[in-house]
Amino acid sequence: MLNFFNRSAVKIEPTYGVVGVPAGVWVTMLVAGWIMFGLVGHDPWKADEAHTFGVVIDYLHHGDWVVPTLAGEPFVEKPPLFYIVSAASAYLFGGLLPLHDAARLATGFFVGIALLFLGLTARELYGRGYASATVIVFISCLGTFVRLHQIVTDVALLAGMAVGIFGLALARRKLWSASVALGAGATCAFLAKGLLGPGLLAVTSLLLPLFVPWRTRRYFATLSIAALMALIPAAIWMYALFVRSPELFREWLVINNLGRFLGFTRIGPHAPPGYYAYTLLWYAFPALPLAGYAVWTAWRRPDAETARRDIQLPALLSMVVASVLGLASTSRELYLLPLMLPISLLGAKGIVLLPAAGISVLSKSSKWGFGTMALLIWLSWLTLVTGIPGQLQATFLAYQPGFVPKVHWIHFALAVCATLVAGIALNRHIASSGRALTHWALGLTLCWALIATLWTPYFDAGKSYRAMIRSLAFQLPSSGCVASLHLGEPQRGLLVYFAQVTTVRLEVQPDAPCATLLVQGWRATGALPPSPGWTLVWEGTRPGELKELYRLYRRDVTPGNVVARFPH
């Protein structure tokens, strides 16, 4: 990794000179810090982390590589790759870290692969001097850092897409290396999230012969070999799933792949028209305007034939991914992650062409914008832990009821170190667009590091289900089954983790003979049992939660007993 960045940092120089360390060391430190901050130190949060980690917990208990399960029931929404890697990470590092933090290290592993192959693709397309720039453009975007520090299957999809794109770039001049990369990338993308990733790579690869560099016999041979390589492991898993249960295979293929995309199943969120268009304006900033500037510059100059040839692959891939996302029935900002790869490749080309005025704006935004934000994060945290001024602290505590302010000294020390390093680096003269870009990435990373260290305990108090589930566990019977009604996937998974309780869902077994029933509902409408034969014994929700409500009922409790209520 270090040698990779050293060789690439030729035109796009990071701010390594200000602290006297080589370019490769500085860029590696920046990327490693961006990945590691926020990767550990908090419980699984609703909703994606919680249900994904629930599947990981089941893998640790049962180890079924064919059929993922959640709280003991088949959960074939995604193929098993990320769950297996995350479970392996939890098994290997669970003795050093809390199990959920150990499982989250798999996210850092996949993100590292994605960034490495993104840089390799840039060097293959543009030449030396662009790998570092592309990686820094990617980590500079406002929308990527939160999701890429969570336990979500999309990080494995991102890694597979990055490897596959590298294979497509390499296919202009090599056969076997490109075939292996494209085949491995498609396999990783498929086993991470199903048909979406391989579909994006397949459509792009079939359209690339529109451009002369990919209109060769070697390229078509590359596609054939890569398709065969990707088809074998995909076919093995699909066949194993079908043999295990044709119904589960249909659920995975028809409902969770085709149904989500085409909209004939009511699964997934449905955003208003144009959702991705306006979301990208902040999600992909500053990569999007840099990418637009690169495309505009390449096509407005008649002598820019080389520049136009260089951006053919990322421009085509951007259009393919954007079109597929636009046609899909479900819409989430999480689904934009694959689009960030080609946009970052284009953005790296744009940063080189940035005029002096653009460099100045980027530099001043980094110093004053992120500098002011970092100062506010520090001052707000000091208010939270010291109580000065008391009214502002009361406002913070009202947002997270039950949170007890205290100084976590390891978090504090890491925040101080990050602030000192960033302060030294940002307080330097800007001589190039590369350094201005690095300053932007450094400023954003500093703010993220401060949130991940100083403020994570505060946010965790409201986003974690730990306290609520432990309060609930005191009211659960020591033996016998516990039924549930309308209980979500995240809550079912975390009940197994925090309370070692696997509920029997009445939606699946309506005649379950359980004497205890947990119902999830809403504050506005309540959480009522299915019949009047149940007596309420506990009520609660996450601290600060304004919508959800959970109630525990028993059949054998006489009316008039005291109801335990968890503060909410």
Side-chain angles (χ1 to χ4, degrees), residues 286-311:
L288 187 62
L290 290 174
Y293 183 70
V295 173
W296 179 72
T297 303
W299 289 99
R300 76 183 179 90
R301 291 168 46 190
D303 60 336
E305 178 62 31
T306 301
R308 289 193 289 270
R309 184 173 62 249
D310 289 346
I311 66 172

Side-chain angles (χ1 to χ4, degrees), residues 225-391:
I225 297 172
L228 181 62
M229 292 178 58
L231 184 61
I232 292 174
I236 290 174
W237 179 77
M238 288 190 293
Y239 177 74
L241 179 62
F242 182 81
V243 170
R244 181 76 64 85
S245 171
E247 292 77 15
L248 290 178
F249 178 81
R250 180 186 180 280
E251 180 182 345
W252 168 77
L253 178 63
V254 177
I255 297 178
N256 286 298
N257 279 270
L258 302 179
R260 283 176 180 267
F261 184 81
L262 298 176
F264 57 78
T265 57
R266 302 288 296 180
I267 300 178
H270 297 267
Y275 170 79
Y276 286 127
Y278 60 76
T279 301
L280 267 178
L281 295 178
W282 66 267
Y283 193 91
F285 190 85
L288 187 62
L290 290 174
Y293 183 70
V295 173
W296 179 72
T297 303
W299 289 99
R300 76 183 179 90
R301 291 168 46 190
D303 60 336
E305 178 62 31
T306 301
R308 289 193 289 270
R309 184 173 62 249
D310 289 346
I311 66 172
Q312 287 170 346
L313 172 58
L316 176 62
L317 183 61
S318 297
M319 290 187 288
V320 169
V321 177
S323 299
V324 171
L325 292 179
L327 292 173
S329 174
T330 58
S331 305
R332 296 183 67 191
E333 45 81 23
L334 178 62
Y335 300 161
L336 287 171
L337 283 178
L339 185 57
M340 299 307 299
L341 296 171
I343 288 180
S344 297
L345 287 167
L346 292 171
K349 199 70 172 177
I351 193 67
V352 178
L353 304 170
L354 202 63
I359 296 173
S360 178
V361 170
L362 191 62
S363 172
K364 291 179 179 179
S365 300
S366 306
K367 289 184 177 181
W368 296 105
F370 290 123
T372 302
M373 187 179 298
L375 180 61
L376 290 175
I377 294 172
W378 267 110
L379 293 176
S380 300
W381 177 78
L382 289 173
T383 295
L384 182 67
V385 297
T386 64
I388 303 173
Q391 186 175 1

